[in-house]
């Protein structure tokens, strides 16, 4: 892919570099921005699937590609992680109004990223790029959610954030050796540990006669 940076005027490049740096240092909640040092017009992003949605627990990689007419023309958004969503096409292209007719030059990239995250919370089946996802969303939400969760599980699950802490080693015994493991030999019972023999039936009858 050819860089569009050389097609942008110096002032636009300066503003773009500043905005991308600010987004990297102070990103919106649940969003990480990874600047491309070789091409500032190619902005790599990771969005956490919002809680309470079929995408929860997933980490979705996407990118914004800025054309030579930016900021007069909106950036193009693409999901790099496979996702089942009405507004995401087969090649990952994103259909959202802020990237089309609602775009204004002063909106900025932060607004674009927040809008795309909101799209994960509230899809818009009216401007669908995935007809099947839009149909299921409208007609059978449970099937839509199950399909979206399945693809999230397959494609968007990364390694767990917090691995469980290692189990502590058992303290050494009196001789400096570790105590017997649970599956090891069981110590023999002493004579004093034996249970008392059960009482005979005759003893019970004599006790009843005394009453």
């Amino acid at each position: 892919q050819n860089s569009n940076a050389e097609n942008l005027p110096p002032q636009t490049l300066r503003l773009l570099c500043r905005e991308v740096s600010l987004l990297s240092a102070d990103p919106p909640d649940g969003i990480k921005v990874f600047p491309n040092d070789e091409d500032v017009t190619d902005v790599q992003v990771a969005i956490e699937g919002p809680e309470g949605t079929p995408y929860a627990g997933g980490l979705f990689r996407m990118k914004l590609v800025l054309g030579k007419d930016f900021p007069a023309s909106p950036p193009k958004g693409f999901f790099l992680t496979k996702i089942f969503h009405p507004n995401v096409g087969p090649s990952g292209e994103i259909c959202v109004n802020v990237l089309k007719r609602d775009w204004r030059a002063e909106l900025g990239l932060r607004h674009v990223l927040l809008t795309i995250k909101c799209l994960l919370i509230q899809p818009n089946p009216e401007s669908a790029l995935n007809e099947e996802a839009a149909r299921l969303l409208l007609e059978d939400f449970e099937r839509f959610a199950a399909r979206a969760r399945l693809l999230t599980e397959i494609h968007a699950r990364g390694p767990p954030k917090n691995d469980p802490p290692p189990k502590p080693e058992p303290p050494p015994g009196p001789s400096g050796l570790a105590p017997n493991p649970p599956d090891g030999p069981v110590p023999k019972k002493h004579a004093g540990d034996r249970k008392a023999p059960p009482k005979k039936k005759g003893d019970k009858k004599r006790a009843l006669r005394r009453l």
Side-chain angles (χ1 to χ4, degrees):
Q1 179 183 324
N2 295 326
S3 169
N4 286 312
E6 58 190 19
N7 297 319
L8 294 175
Q11 183 183 1
T12 301
L13 280 175
R14 282 196 297 272
L15 290 172
L16 180 57
C17 287
R18 183 171 178 272
E19 184 173 15
V20 171
S21 296
L22 286 172
L23 280 172
S24 303
D26 182 26
D29 187 43
I31 299 175
K32 288 184 179 179
V33 178
F34 306 96
N36 184 339
D37 295 333
E38 296 179 0
D39 182 2
V40 72
T41 65
D42 180 36
V43 184
Q44 304 285 326
V45 182
I47 300 181
E48 294 176 10
E51 291 298 323
T53 73
Y55 311 107
L59 189 66
F60 297 88
R61 291 178 57 242
M62 60 155 295
K63 67 177 179 178
L64 296 176
V65 180
L66 284 57
K68 61 182 180 181
D69 297 328
F70 180 85
S73 298
K76 292 181 179 179
F78 296 89
F79 271 96
L80 304 176
T81 302
K82 194 170 179 61
I83 183 173
F84 187 69
H85 191 288
N87 306 111
V88 181
S91 301
E93 63 272 25
I94 302 169
C95 181
V96 56
N97 286 337
V98 76
L99 298 180
K100 291 188 175 179
R101 64 173 182 264
D102 293 344
W103 173 254
R104 298 192 308 277
E106 62 269 19
L107 286 176
L109 299 183
R110 181 179 293 268
H111 183 79
V112 171
L113 295 176
L114 285 170
T115 302
I116 292 173
K117 184 182 177 184
C118 287
L119 207 62
L120 295 180
I121 301 171
Q122 189 68 48
N124 181 14
E126 293 177 4
S127 58
L129 291 178
N130 184 328
E131 295 293 341
E132 184 184 7
R135 180 179 59 78
L136 285 176
L137 177 67
L138 293 171
E139 297 176 2
D140 191 342
F141 181 79
E142 287 305 315
R143 281 182 63 197
F144 162 77
R147 181 86 172 269
R149 274 194 298 268
L150 177 63
L151 263 73
T152 298
E153 188 72 35
I154 294 172
H155 298 285
R157 293 280 189 182
K161 288 184 179 178
N162 297 315
D163 292 323
K167 293 182 180 179
E169 292 291 329
S175 63
L177 299 174
N180 288 328
D183 297 333
V186 178
K188 293 180 180 178
K189 293 185 178 180
H190 297 287
D193 296 337
R194 290 176 185 163
K195 292 182 180 177
K199 291 183 179 180
K200 296 179 181 178
K201 289 184 179 178
D203 295 341
K204 189 174 182 182
K205 286 181 181 178
R206 281 196 291 273
L208 289 171
R209 285 198 195 105
R210 289 196 199 104
L211 297 174

